[in-house]
Each structure stands twice: as C-alpha cells, then as structure tokens.
Amino acid sequence: MDTRLAALLDPPFAKDPPVKLDIPAKTLGGIYAILGAIGALLGLFGLLALLGLSGVVAVAGAGGLLFLVLIGSLIAEAGTIMAAWGGYRMYQADRGGKTHVIYGLALNALGGLVTALGSFGGGLAGWIVSLAITFVLYYLVIISRFEDETKPV
C-alpha cells in the first residue's frame, strides 16, 4: 500500500489521540450511514437541479466554470455515498467500513475543492470551513473503537 494512503488510514495520533473520547464504532457507523444516505439523496436532487441550470446557462453561452461545479458535485456525491456505505459496514461491525468512510470523506473534500474553484465568489472560504468539519468527522472515525478493541487511556 502507498505510504500516503497508509498514513491516512493509520495516522500517528491514532494510538494516542490528543482528545480522548470513547466513541463506539458501531454507533458512529450507524450515524454516518443514516446521515450519509440522507445527504446522498438530497445531493442527487441537487445534481438534477444543477444539470438543469447548466443547460440553461450553456444555452446563454456562459457555462465555463459551471462545468467545474458539476464535476465537483459528482465527486462529492460519490464520496458521500462511499462514506454512507462505510458507515453501514461499521454499523455491521465490519472493520473495513472505516476505510470506506475515510476514503469517502477524502473524496468529499476533493469534490468540495473542485466545486469551490468553479464557484464565483466565496467558494474557497466555505470550503475551508467544510474541510475543518470533515477533519472532525475523520478524527472521530480514527479514534472510534469496536467492542473488542482497547480503549484509549
């Protein structure tokens, strides 16, 4: 495995997290699965609206950056679906679900960046706030423990 991917899945703070919380992975996975499924469903409606808007803007001849917003939204939607699926797998006590959630969060952050680059104003500031929230979600996945794992001291 690539060392960058290994560092993403098993960061140095995982063994001794700076903020020690006892979060059950099964519960966290259930929350991610439910909220991710709702977010994915709403994201699909948003993509349909964006497709309609991009058609109108393309007819007007001003659709250059809207293409980036569409591509970024597709990437973020794939990340949301992947994180929701990983959350479901975590809820089923499957340790591989954590990997899917982490990759889904990374895809979601990448899609948000592409969308922010395509938006017309204030997109990067909103992306930075979104990235901070994504890091908190990532941190919670990393420090969550399954029932048979040792709890942080």
Side-chain angles (χ1 to χ4, degrees):
M1 178 182 290
D2 189 15
T3 58
R4 291 171 292 201
L5 292 178
L8 185 65
L9 295 175
D10 191 24
F13 65 83
K15 303 290 187 250
D16 186 26
V19 179
K20 293 173 179 42
L21 299 172
D22 186 18
I23 298 176
K26 185 172 181 166
T27 304
L28 186 68
I31 292 169
Y32 280 12
I34 291 169
L35 294 179
I38 292 169
L41 183 63
L42 294 176
L44 285 175
F45 289 131
L47 276 172
L48 289 174
L50 186 60
L51 281 172
L53 179 66
S54 66
V56 170
V57 172
V59 169
L65 290 178
L66 199 57
F67 180 72
L68 282 176
V69 174
L70 182 62
I71 296 298
S73 296
L74 283 171
I75 294 170
E77 181 71 15
T80 302
I81 292 169
M82 183 180 275
W85 176 248
Y88 175 73
R89 288 183 59 193
M90 283 175 64
Y91 180 72
Q92 298 296 324
D94 183 1
R95 296 182 194 291
K98 277 187 168 187
T99 304
H100 280 69
V101 170
I102 292 169
Y103 287 158
L105 290 173
L107 265 179
N108 210 332
L110 177 67
L113 176 62
V114 173
T115 301
L117 292 175
S119 64
F120 291 107
L124 287 178
W127 177 73
I128 291 171
V129 172
S130 174
L131 189 64
I133 293 169
T134 301
F135 178 76
V136 171
L137 296 175
Y138 167 74
Y139 182 79
L140 291 175
V141 170
I142 292 297
I143 66 169
S144 67
R145 305 281 183 236
F146 288 98
E147 291 178 2
D148 58 344
E149 294 178 337
T150 60
K151 298 183 180 7
V153 181

